[in-house]
C-alpha cells in the first residue's frame, strides 16, 4: 500500500476457467494488466489458457484436485508474481477461508472481505446484520429454531404454508415446504438432518412461503472509501431447479419508484456488512409487488453482462479498480438505464431428456454476431465439453432500445447460432422467449414447471404441415426460392422448436 492508499496491480491470476476466466482477462488486458491462467489437465487446450499471458497447470481434472486447492492457486500466484487473484463465480469465489488465506499471504483478493462473505454466507447472520436498517424480510423467525413445539406456535402465527430453510443453505438447497401443522415435525427433522449433512450446520429457520414469487436481484458496487451504489436490477424468475435459464435487465414489473426503493434497500444491505466490490442482493417479489430481502451473493454473478449492457459500465474493471483502492468511478446519479438486455445460458443439456448433460465434441460451433449481440463463451469448434465441470457452453446476451427489440434480437441470435455435436438448450430458450407469458411479462419462478413439457420441442409433424403451407403460399405468390427452409443441419437451433 502506497501513502495514497493505492495498491499497485500489474498482474492478476484468474482462479477460474472457461468463459468467466476469459471475460475477466479481457478487462484486465484493456487496463494494461497482465494475466495468469491456472488450468487443470482437462483444460489444456481451452481458449482461456491460450489467451492468458502466462498459464500454470494446477492438477488433475476434478476441481477438488485443481481449481479448489488453496495451495495450488496461491503457489501459482507467488511463482508468477501476480499481486491479485480474481475468483470469478463458483469454485472459491465465496469461500471466506480462501479470502482470508489470500490476505495472509500478502495477496489481494478481487472481491469483498472474508467477514462480508461470512456474514452473507449465513442467512441468519445476514438477517441479523440488516436489522439496523429498515429492510423488508419475509415474515418468520430471524433465529435458528430448535424447539419443535415453540416453532409450531410461531408457524401458526406466520401462517401456513411455511418454508423451513437452512441458515447455511442457498440456491434452494435444504428447503422444505410445510402445508399444515400436522407435517411440521416430520419436515423440520428432515430439514435439520439435511442441513447437517450438506453444510455441517443444522440451523434452520422458518418463513412464510411466498407462493408465486418473482426473483429480482439488485447489482451493487462498493469501494474502500465507504461509497456504495446500485446498478439497478436483474429479473431472473425463469429458472429450472434453481438454475437460471433467462435473465434480463431491467425487470418489466418495476416502476421507477419501486426500483428506487429496492435499490436503496440493496445499498443498505451492502452497508450492513461494509461491502467492497461487486455484489448482488436478492429479493423475492410477490404478486402485489411487495418485495423481501432474501440473501446476498458476494461474487460477480454469471448474469452480470445484462447489467453492463444497460448501464454501459464494465463491472470487472470496476472490481479491479476498487481492489486497488480507487474510489468508484461513478456515483449513483451518474447511473442511468439505457434500453433493455436479455441473457440466455446455453447449456450442453438435452431439454427433451430431462436436461441431462450432453457431453461430446462441438463438431460445428459458430456463434452469432451483429448489432446488439454479445457472446461470452469458453469453447471453440472441435473442442470436447469436459464432463468435470458445469456444462454451460456460452452466455448469449442481447441489447436493444426496448424489451421487444432485445427479445427479437435474441431470437435472431439463437437462430443464427450453429452448434452440432452436442444437444443444447437453445431451442428451449426460444420456446421461453416466444411464450405469451414471457412476452407479456406476466410470469414467476414457476414458469418452466407451468409451461414446459418436452413435447413442445418435439412437434415436428405439425411443423411439417406448417412448412408445407408456407412453401405452397410462397411458391404460388412469388415464385421465389424457398430452398433455405430445410437445408440446415438437424441439430441447429431448430426453428421447429421456435414456433409458438
Ligand atoms: C422462498 C420462496 C418462497 N417463499 N422463500 C429458492 C432459492 C433461495 N434463494 C430462496 N428460494 C426461495 N425462497 C420464501 N419465503 C421461494 C424460493 C424459490 C425460488 C426463489 C427464487 C427463484 C427461484 C425459486 C424457485 C423455487 C423456490
Amino acid at each position: 500500500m502506497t501513502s495514497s492508499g493505492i495498491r499497485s496491480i500489474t498482474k492478476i491470476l484468474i482462479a477460474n476457467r472457461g468463459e468467466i476466466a476469459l471475460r475477466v482477462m479481457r478487462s484486465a488486458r484493456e487496463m494494461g494488466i497482465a494475466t495468469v491462467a491456472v488450468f487443470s489437465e482437462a483444460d489444456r487446450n481451452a481458449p482461456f489458457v491460450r489467451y492468458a499471458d502466462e498459464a500454470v497447470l494446477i492438477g488433475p481434472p476434478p476441481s477438488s484436485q485443481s481449481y479448489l486447492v488453496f495451495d495450488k492457486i496461491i503457489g501459482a500466484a507467488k511463482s508468477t508474481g501476480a499481486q491479485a487473484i480474481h475468483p470469478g463465480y463458483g469454485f472459491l469465489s465465496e469461500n471466506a477461508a480462501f479470502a482470508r488465506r489470500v490476505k495472509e499471504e500478502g495477496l489481494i483478493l478481487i472481491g469483498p472481505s472474508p467477514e462480508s462473505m461470512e456474514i452473507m454466507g449465513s442467512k441468519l447472520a445476514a438477517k441479523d446484520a440488516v436489522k439496523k436498517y429498515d429492510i423488508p424480510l419475509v415474515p418468520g423467525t430471524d433465529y435458528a429454531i430448535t424447539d419443535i413445539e415453540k416453532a409450531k406456535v410461531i408457524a401458526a402465527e406466520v401462517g401456513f404454508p411455511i418454508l423451513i430453510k437452512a441458515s447455511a443453505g442457498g440456491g434452494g438447497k435444504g428447503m422444505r415446504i410445510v402445508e399444515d401443522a400436522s407435517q411440521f415435525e416430520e419436515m423440520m427433522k428432515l430439514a435439520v438432518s439435511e442441513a447437517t449433512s450438506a453444510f455441517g450446520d443444522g440451523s434452520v429457520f422458518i418463513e412464510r412461503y411466498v407462493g408465486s414469487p418473482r426473483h429480482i436481484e439488485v447489482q451493487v458496487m462498493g469501494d474502500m472509501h465507504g461509497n456504495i451504489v446500485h446498478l439497478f436490477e436483474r429479473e431472473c424468475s425463469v429458472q429450472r431447479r434453481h438454475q437460471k435459464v433467462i435473465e434480463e435487465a431491467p425487470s418489466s414489473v418495476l416502476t421507477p419508484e419501486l426500483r428506487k426503493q429496492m435499490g436503496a434497500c440493496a445499498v443498505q444491505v451492502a452497508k450492513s456488512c461494509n461491502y467492497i466490490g461487486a455484489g448482488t442482493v436478492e429479493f423475492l417479489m410477490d404478486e402485489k409487488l411487495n418485495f423481501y430481502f432474501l440473501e446476498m451473493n458476494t461474487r460477480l454473478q454469471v448474469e452480470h453482462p445484462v447489467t453492463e449492457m444497460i448501464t454501459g459500465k464494465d463491472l470487472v474493471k470496476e472490481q479491479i479498480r476498487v481492489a486497488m483502492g480507487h474510489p468508484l468511478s461513478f456515483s449513483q446519479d451518474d447511473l442511468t438505464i439505457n434500453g433493455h438486455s436479455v441473457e440466455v445460458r446455453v447449456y450442453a443439456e438435452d431439454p427433451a431428456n430431462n436436461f441431462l448433460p450432453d457431453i461430446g465434441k462441438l463438431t460445428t460451433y459458430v456463434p452469432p454476431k451483429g448489432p446488439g449481440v454479445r457472446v461470452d463463451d469458453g469453447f471453440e469448434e472441435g473442442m470436447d465439453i469436459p464432463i468435470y465441470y458445469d456444462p454451460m457452453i456460452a452466455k448469449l446476451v442481447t441489447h436493444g432500445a426496448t424489451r421487444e427489440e432485445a427479445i427479437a434480437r435474441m431470437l435472431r441470435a439463437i437462430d443464427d447460432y450453429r452448434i452440432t455435436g452436442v444437444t443444447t438448450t437453445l431451442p428451449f430458450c426460444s420456446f421461453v422467449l416466444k411464450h405469451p407469458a414471457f412476452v407479456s411479462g406476466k410470469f414467476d419462478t414457476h414458469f418452466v414447471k407451468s409451461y414446459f413439457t418436452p413435447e413442445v420441442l418435439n412437434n415436428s409433424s405439425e411443423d411439417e404441415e406448417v412448412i408445407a403451407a408456407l412453401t405452397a403460399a410462397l411458391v404460388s405468390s412469388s415464385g421465389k426460392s424457398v430452398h433455405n427452409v430445410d437445408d440446415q443441419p438437424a441439430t441447429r437451433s431448430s426453428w421447429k422448436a421456435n414456433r409458438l
Side-chain angles (χ1 to χ4, degrees), residues 138 163 165 171-172 175 207-210 213 215 239 242 282 284 294-295 445:
V138 186
L163 204 51
K165 293 187 175 183
M175 292 188 347
E207 280 181 0
R208 185 166 75 213
Y209 177 64
V210 181
H215 169 126
Q239 308 202 355
H242 303 296
E282 272 186 34
L284 275 189
L294 267 196
E295 52 195 83
T445 56

Side-chain angles (χ1 to χ4, degrees), residues 126-386:
K127 282 180 197 274
D128 198 58
V130 304
K131 255 185 200 154
K132 58 182 173 233
Y133 299 105
D134 195 19
I135 309 287
L137 301 175
V138 186
T141 64
D142 54 5
Y143 49 87
I145 49 173
T146 45
D147 182 328
I148 290 194
E149 290 313 310
K150 198 176 151 204
K152 278 187 188 167
V153 174
I154 294 161
E157 281 167 18
V158 167
F160 287 94
I162 61 144
L163 204 51
I164 306 179
K165 293 187 175 183
S167 178
K173 266 179 269 169
M175 292 188 347
R176 291 274 165 175
I177 300 177
V178 189
E179 303 288 349
D180 58 69
S182 72
Q183 304 173 326
F184 194 91
E185 191 156 345
E186 187 193 341
M187 290 301 184
M188 167 109 172
K189 282 179 177 157
L190 281 170
V192 171
S193 86
E194 228 172 72
T196 308
S197 63
F199 315 114
D201 172 3
S203 313
V204 299
F205 59 96
I206 60 182
E207 280 181 0
R208 185 166 75 213
Y209 177 64
V210 181
S212 303
R214 298 176 77 112
H215 169 126
I216 296 178
E217 57 184 35
V218 177
Q219 177 70 52
V220 296
M221 280 286 329
D223 65 20
M224 294 179 190
H225 307 273
N227 304 302
I228 303 183
V229 301
H230 72 84
L231 293 92
F232 314 108
E233 79 283 0
R234 295 183 287 261
E235 160 92 52
C236 311
S237 295
V238 182
Q239 308 202 355
R240 196 194 144 267
R241 304 218 175 144
H242 303 296
Q243 177 167 286
K244 291 165 187 163
V245 172
I246 294 185
E247 302 109 340
E248 60 178 314
S251 165
S252 56
V253 286
L254 291 205
T255 59
E257 180 53 32
L258 263 175
R259 177 167 296 120
K260 219 173 156 172
Q261 284 176 24
M262 291 179 81
C265 271
V267 166
Q268 287 182 321
V269 170
K271 280 208 169 106
S272 77
C273 65
N274 303 310
Y275 202 81
I276 292 167
T280 298
V281 181
E282 272 186 34
F283 295 95
L284 275 189
M285 181 170 270
D286 69 18
E287 289 136 312
K288 293 177 183 156
L289 304 185
N290 296 306
F291 63 89
Y292 309 96
F293 165 59
L294 267 196
E295 52 195 83
M296 180 171 189
N297 301 316
T298 58
R299 61 172 188 278
L300 182 73
Q301 301 222 158
V302 175
E303 60 272 25
H304 76 276
V306 294
T307 299
E308 297 187 320
M309 300 293 255
I310 62 156
T311 60
K313 302 299 177 194
D314 183 321
L315 292 180
V316 172
K317 282 187 187 164
E318 206 59 29
Q319 284 186 297
I320 296 170
R321 275 194 213 105
V322 158
M324 291 170 131
H326 293 291
L328 288 172
S329 70
F330 40 78
S331 67
Q332 192 66 63
D333 291 342
D334 295 333
L335 295 165
T336 54
I337 297 177
N338 171 28
H340 199 97
S341 181
V342 177
E343 169 176 293
V344 306
R345 299 188 186 189
V346 185
Y347 276 94
E349 290 175 351
D350 185 0
N353 194 8
N354 203 25
F355 293 84
L356 243 60
D358 189 51
I359 46 152
K361 193 190 280 295
L362 287 169
T363 318
T364 313
Y365 183 75
V366 186
K369 296 176 177 162
V373 175
R374 166 175 170 179
V375 181
D376 282 19
D377 58 12
F379 291 101
E380 286 169 346
E381 195 163 279
M383 278 180 66
D384 284 307
I385 313 256

